[in-house]
Amino acid sequence: MTATSEEPLSGMPIVGSADRPFLSVNDLHVTFPTEDGLVQAVDGVSLSVERGKTLAIVGESGSGKSVTAQAIMGLVNRKSATVTGEIWLDGQELINLPQREVQELMGMEIAMIFQDPMSSLHPFYRIGDQIVEAIRAHRSIGKAAARRETLEMLQHVGIPAAERRIDAYPHQLSGGMRQRVMIAMALINSPQLLIADEPTTALDVTVQAQILELIARLQGEFGTTVILITHDLGIVADVADDVAVMYGGRIVELASTTTLYDLPEMPYTLGLLSSVPRMDQKLPERLDPIRGNPPSPIRLPKGCVFQPRCDYWQRVPGEACLTVRPDLLESDPDHWVRCHLKVEERKQIARDVKQILAGGGE
Amino acid sequence: MFAYLVRRVLLMLMLLFLLSVSVFLLFAILPGDPARLTCGKACTPAIIESNRHRLGLDEPPLTQYVKFVSGIFVGRTFSADSPQPIKCDAPCLGYSFNRQEQVMSLIARSAPVTFFLAIGAFVIWIVVGLALGIFAALNRGRWGDRLIMGISLIGYSMPSFFLGLLLVFFVIIKWQFLPFPAYVAPWENPFQFFQTMLLPWILLATLYAAFYIRLTRNQVLEVLSDDYVRTARAKGLPERTVVVKHALRAGLTPIVTAAGLDLAGLLGGAIISENIFSLPGLGALAISSIIDSDLPLITGITILTAAIIIFANLVVDLLYAVVDPRVRVI
């Protein structure tokens, strides 16, 4: 564990509180003890987000993206998991904060939207009451005022006939409406940070775009910082400023969205991008999936965690990919990659693959 | 909601009808001659035939059934053409020729005993079962949880007659903490009533509580990992509100349902407990009616207890609709 932690990460999370970014996560570890052994769900994640920006965290199931989000939110159960590292939000460290103060932040400064809006809303309570509860958990205002505020917010997130729907139960609404309710509930206290954990995964494709637009619009209005957790690279390009790609509990590539889409350097990212169908390009003859399966979090490979699925590891001289965990290193300014391949070689591979993909349809 | 209620009541009436028909068929049409059972060793065909007529068993089954059902609503008279007709007032569930008494009044005498037994045990098992189950769930994996689960496993796997006999042997015979049970109505002698009922309550409550502790613990653990409980936490609500208002509200609803049905089952008679502690309740009455082959009594008790359970089902379902808004839409 110590061998894999990110010592050489100078420069990435800025140390020294004055110009610390709005949110910065430093060497975050989340460990779950299980009967089969320790599970390193998150293994030394460091990242930062500037105020008002959107960071997307992308990865397969089990990559640790959701656990990272829940750790930032303070939702990881400390009885069943160990959380170490630092999470700085607006100059305040969160991991060592007493539970009572974490509670004050949750729903007030940091809010979260979840994947499945049906199961995330309480089936027994009216949606209006659930939002009113969120208001009154943090602000001492009367029920009538809270209800007025709730109604305004419901209208604001685009719920038609909100004055009627405010008294509806979750099961009486459609999936998209429910997710709007979740968004209204998350934003009702104007939080500074919104964590959206796969907010569109459980929704119809037609509704997905609406929900993403809504989040982006509200983000503009409220100046909210957004962390978008997703496995869908297709939606990232439109909404995120920066992208962190996670694999096996670690960040394997971190860059601005344009850089990452333009020239991804980590073979895993490359594989993800080439397995996404693009509407704006000619379809290649076939999509290129990444072969194999994500590694078991209990028995991670000794060397590079992605090596068993990587097409290029033999290009690295020696057996570095089999024996040594690569570090997350800066290949260009603000472009961080965890790979043993030489920078120039990686870039060349990316160019080649892009060319093949672009030419594939002809 | 109103349409739901109407539909449920109609369904209940239909079930009651089918139930009474099948019970009636079972006991009146099956092989074996109830009339033969009504007279002892010195039996002649003539006596059997006259008894058959007095019981109304010489009529076609359909007529018998119609008379039985109409008896429930308007009463009926047995052996009307004989010198000593027997009047049976509405609601008449039949007449026990063995005991020379109306089935309804036999039941009316036993039912309160069973009622007090069931209600007392119910209160104890619900309080103990829910409290310990919730405690175990919230302290999952710690020694308190393991202790409670261990004890409940013992209680759960102990046969009721064995536990009952242990209680009688130690508490009454060996240590003499309590006198031998002798049932009196609570309004006649409250102290003796409680002395008599204490052990039966403990016996029944132990058996059910052991089950309800496990049920409650599982339910609470399940809802605690539900998404909406995570949402409640993410709102920044105090843990107490998260557990009580969000988790328990959803988790305990199905348990209350199960408890309602179990209570209804008990109201039909707790055969073993009543026998061990010589309580003259419905269970004891049912057993002795079977031993005596007292057919009208068996029929009456069976239909009544089944009706209680069907009715309890309706009440529980309606309650569920009040608690869980998702049920109301149907």
Side-chain angles (χ1 to χ4, degrees):
Chain A
M1 176 171 137
T2 40
T4 64
S5 64
E6 314 307 328
E7 301 305 339
L9 264 184
S10 57
M12 226 255 308
I14 299 151
V15 190
S17 58
D19 36 75
R20 200 190 296 280
F22 173 65
L23 171 75
S24 90
V25 175
N26 198 357
D27 196 23
L28 178 71
H29 289 261
V30 182
T31 316
F32 296 94
T34 69
E35 286 175 6
D36 301 320
L38 280 184
V39 171
Q40 283 276 357
V42 178
D43 192 2
V45 162
S46 301
L47 50 83
S48 59
V49 195
E50 296 296 338
R51 189 183 292 273
K53 298 283 187 191
T54 300
L55 169 76
I57 302 182
V58 181
E60 288 168 284
S61 357
S63 62
K65 56 189 194 304
S66 279
V67 181
T68 303
Q70 289 181 12
I72 296 172
M73 184 74 193
L75 280 176
V76 171
N77 188 346
R78 297 297 181 88
K79 282 183 201 163
S80 59
T82 319
V83 184
T84 59
E86 291 176 348
I87 297 171
W88 291 90
L89 179 79
D90 207 10
Q92 193 173 18
E93 207 288 312
L94 301 184
I95 287 183
N96 297 311
L97 216 57
Q99 183 59 28
R100 220 177 49 81
E101 288 176 43
V102 173
Q103 248 170 41
E104 278 169 22
L105 289 178
M106 283 199 285
M108 190 66 194
E109 301 294 328
I110 319 175
M112 196 156 175
I113 315 171
F114 301 98
Q115 177 171 347
D116 183 353
M118 178 77 237
S119 60
S120 298
L121 288 163
H122 199 295
F124 289 4
Y125 298 113
R126 297 171 197 278
I127 57 161
D129 295 342
Q130 298 192 41
I131 299 177
V132 166
E133 189 185 31
I135 300 176
R136 286 163 55 88
H138 297 284
R139 290 183 274 152
S140 41
I141 62 171
K143 273 187 180 158
R147 193 180 154 89
R148 269 197 304 281
E149 208 174 301
T150 300
L151 184 61
E152 275 168 29
M153 186 52 108
L154 287 176
Q155 285 161 342
H156 202 74
V157 298
I159 289 184
E163 52 292 336
R164 199 159 44 78
R165 294 255 165 73
I166 191 172
D167 287 322
Y169 289 99
H171 69 262
Q172 293 168 325
L173 303 178
S174 68
M177 285 300 144
R178 281 185 216 126
Q179 197 59 296
R180 283 171 198 266
V181 170
M182 283 301 290
I183 292 171
M185 189 151 83
L187 295 181
I188 191 75
N189 292 323
S190 325
Q192 303 192 55
L193 176 65
L194 176 70
I195 302 174
D197 188 356
E198 307 246 8
T200 58
T201 308
L203 301 177
D204 283 349
V205 179
T206 46
V207 183
Q208 286 183 1
Q210 294 173 15
I211 293 296
L212 287 173
E213 272 166 36
L214 176 66
I215 293 176
R217 173 166 70 84
L218 296 172
Q219 175 179 22
E221 284 174 33
F222 293 92
T224 322
T225 308
V226 175
I227 295 183
L228 176 70
I229 314 283
T230 182
H231 65 262
D232 185 354
L233 268 173
I235 66 173
V236 169
D238 304 325
V239 288
D241 299 298
D242 297 304
V243 184
V245 179
M246 283 192 72
Y247 189 82
R250 298 167 181 75
I251 292 180
V252 293
E253 184 157 8
L254 177 64
S256 72
T257 309
T258 34
T259 309
L260 192 98
Y261 275 77
D262 193 38
L263 212 56
E265 291 190 20
M266 164 77 193
Y268 176 61
T269 316
L270 194 60
L272 279 184
L273 284 171
S274 41
S275 56
V276 177
R278 293 280 298 264
M279 300 295 277
D280 56 350
Q281 284 174 7
K282 257 186 208 165
L283 206 62
E285 273 167 19
R286 58 187 189 88
L287 288 172
D288 210 1
I290 304 172
R291 62 191 166 81
N293 290 307
S296 151
I298 295 168
R299 263 175 228 87
L300 289 176
K302 253 198 203 133
C304 171
V305 179
F306 185 62
Q307 175 274 327
R309 304 171 74 185
C310 182
D311 288 330
Y312 308 102
W313 69 273
Q314 278 154 326
R315 297 194 191 186
V316 177
E319 297 206 321
C321 291
L322 291 173
T323 52
V324 182
R325 289 263 163 91
D327 290 319
L328 190 60
L329 297 173
E330 203 164 20
S331 75
D332 284 317
D334 288 329
H335 189 173
W336 297 78
V337 182
R338 187 191 293 277
C339 185
H340 282 312
L341 286 163
K342 289 206 181 68
V343 177
E344 264 322 303
E345 200 162 8
R346 301 196 292 242
K347 289 187 173 167
Q348 193 51 48
I349 291 171
R351 281 186 213 109
D352 293 347
V353 169
K354 283 203 117 175
Q355 193 141 35
I356 296 169
L357 283 180
E362 287 161 22
Chain B
M1 188 68 190
F2 182 71
Y4 176 70
L5 193 120
V6 169
R7 249 190 26 187
R8 287 308 314 252
V9 170
L10 285 179
L11 197 69
M12 178 182 80
L13 292 178
M14 207 171 79
L15 255 177
L16 277 175
F17 169 72
L18 287 177
L19 168 94
S20 60
V21 170
S22 47
V23 170
F24 207 79
L25 280 179
L26 213 62
F27 289 135
I29 315 293
L30 278 181
D33 186 353
R36 173 69 187 78
L37 295 170
T38 55
C39 69
K41 284 175 186 165
C43 215
T44 63
I47 300 179
I48 293 179
E49 274 318 302
S50 92
N51 276 356
R52 190 188 309 282
H53 180 67
R54 285 181 51 196
L55 286 164
L57 292 172
D58 51 349
E59 288 176 289
L62 182 65
T63 321
Q64 285 184 43
Y65 177 74
V66 170
K67 281 192 174 171
F68 176 80
V69 173
S70 73
I72 295 174
F73 295 101
V74 296
R76 63 191 285 201
T77 308
F78 289 94
S79 26
D81 49 355
S82 79
Q84 295 118 2
I86 300 162
K87 242 180 96 30
C88 178
D89 310 317
C92 171
L93 277 176
Y95 185 85
S96 163
F97 288 89
N98 292 30
R99 288 173 167 75
Q100 305 281 314
E101 199 175 343
Q102 294 179 21
V103 168
M104 203 59 196
S105 66
L106 280 166
I107 290 176
R109 212 163 341 115
S110 312
V113 183
T114 297
F115 177 79
F116 291 128
L117 175 64
I119 291 293
F122 178 74
V123 171
I124 300 175
W125 105 55
I126 285 298
V127 172
V128 173
L130 293 193
L132 293 187
I134 293 169
F135 177 84
L138 296 181
N139 294 283
R140 176 190 200 174
R142 300 205 206 139
W143 66 267
D145 174 32
R146 296 201 178 142
L147 185 72
I148 291 171
M149 283 300 103
I151 292 173
S152 97
L153 185 66
I154 295 171
Y156 191 48
S157 41
M158 181 97 76
S160 58
F161 59 85
F162 182 64
L163 182 60
L165 291 178
L166 278 185
L167 286 175
V168 171
F169 178 74
F170 282 105
V171 180
I172 297 179
I173 298 175
K174 192 145 182 224
W175 300 329
Q176 300 189 342
F177 288 151
L178 291 169
F180 275 88
Y183 181 80
V184 289
W187 47 86
E188 280 170 20
N189 185 344
F191 184 66
Q192 192 184 339
F193 170 78
F194 277 105
Q195 278 191 330
T196 307
M197 298 303 271
L198 192 60
L199 287 186
W201 280 338
I202 291 176
L203 172 60
L204 276 180
T206 306
L207 301 173
Y208 281 94
F211 175 68
Y212 274 79
I213 289 173
R214 304 182 85 77
L215 190 68
T216 306
R217 178 178 181 271
N218 287 350
Q219 277 290 330
V220 172
L221 282 182
E222 198 178 308
V223 290
L224 276 178
S225 62
D226 270 346
D227 287 350
Y228 50 81
V229 172
R230 186 181 55 184
T231 307
R233 285 217 174 86
K235 283 188 205 174
L237 297 172
E239 188 61 18
R240 196 188 163 76
T241 313
V242 172
V243 169
V244 175
K245 188 176 168 190
H246 290 260
L248 291 189
R249 166 83 193 268
L252 297 191
T253 306
I255 293 178
V256 173
T257 313
L261 295 182
D262 274 340
L263 176 64
L266 261 191
L267 285 175
I271 290 173
I272 292 171
S273 304
E274 288 178 13
N275 266 287
I276 290 176
F277 296 99
S278 343
L279 297 176
L282 276 179
L285 185 66
I287 288 288
S288 71
S289 74
I290 290 167
I291 291 169
D292 302 342
S293 301
D294 189 342
L295 221 101
L297 188 52
I298 298 175
T299 313
I301 292 178
T302 311
I303 290 186
L304 185 82
T305 52
I308 291 176
I309 289 176
I310 292 179
F311 183 70
N313 249 306
L314 174 75
V315 172
V316 161
D317 279 359
L318 293 182
L319 273 181
Y320 208 117
V322 172
V323 182
D324 186 343
R326 285 171 299 181
V327 181
R328 276 174 239 162
V329 236
I330 315 162

